[in-house]
Amino acid sequence: MSETNATRTLRTHLQADGAHCQRFEDKLSPGIPDTMACINGYPVFLEGKFIKDLPAKESTLVRFGSTGEARLAHQRNWLVAHRKAGGLAFWWVRVRDAGWYLFEDKFNWLVDGVPKKILLEQENLGSAKAMAARLNVLVDKHIKESWL
């Protein structure tokens, strides 16, 4: 599996739940997440990462690109700005043979990396289907809170 395949799998499950999804690959607008999904009538932006192999040591940083890669800072900054403006933006990680992880925050991990032990302590949703279901719940929660 690759990031493209993991994204396609997640989009398939979101669409099965009624979402409309659009993938973005734009070299001219750095930072814009890979996917925009309309979930329950609400736009949600999703940035996906795929990790082929985890490091052997628990303390070794899991990186989501090359150290110092400008693209990662652009992605973090976009996600932070969108959330601060009240929008919904998440990032997720598919670790081959080790799970699916969804993050509403922890945007600095995109740039700085995270120790393997800490990453694996996060909730593993187990599948793209479970991640799609969680996204539906989070969007519904956001909608309800915004109407209060």
Side-chain angles (χ1 to χ4, degrees):
M1 183 170 275
S2 64
E3 183 176 316
T4 299
N5 289 338
T7 300
R8 187 177 302 127
T9 300
L10 178 57
R11 278 195 336 249
T12 297
H13 288 290
L14 287 168
Q15 290 166 336
D17 289 343
H20 170 261
C21 299
Q22 177 67 49
R23 180 154 170 87
F24 296 106
E25 286 296 328
D26 185 355
K27 303 284 185 207
L28 301 175
S29 303
I32 295 176
D34 300 333
T35 303
M36 192 284 293
C38 184
I39 300 172
N40 301 329
Y42 204 88
V44 178
F45 289 86
L46 304 164
E47 176 61 40
K49 299 295 176 193
F50 179 78
I51 303 297
K52 185 176 176 182
D53 296 306
L54 289 171
K57 292 183 181 177
E58 298 289 311
S59 60
T60 301
L61 289 179
V62 175
R63 297 225 175 251
F64 304 102
S66 300
T67 303
E69 190 175 348
R71 171 183 62 94
L72 299 171
H74 290 304
Q75 290 171 343
R76 177 203 54 209
N77 296 342
W78 195 100
L79 292 164
V80 168
H82 193 74
R83 291 299 292 236
K84 282 184 178 178
L88 277 179
F90 303 91
W91 70 287
W92 57 269
V93 178
R94 167 68 169 120
V95 180
R96 184 175 65 181
D97 301 328
W100 292 78
Y101 300 86
L102 179 66
F103 302 103
E104 298 180 66
D105 52 17
K106 299 177 176 56
F107 300 121
N108 280 334
W109 287 4
L110 285 165
V111 175
D112 302 333
V114 59
K116 172 187 169 183
K117 179 181 188 310
I118 293 174
L119 175 65
L120 295 179
E121 288 172 353
Q122 308 306 304
E123 182 181 11
N124 180 355
L125 295 171
S127 69
K129 183 175 182 176
M131 186 175 290
R134 175 63 55 83
L135 283 164
N136 273 289
V137 168
L138 292 170
V139 170
D140 285 344
K141 177 182 171 193
H142 180 81
I143 292 169
K144 288 175 186 169
E145 288 174 357
S146 68
W147 281 98
L148 297 177

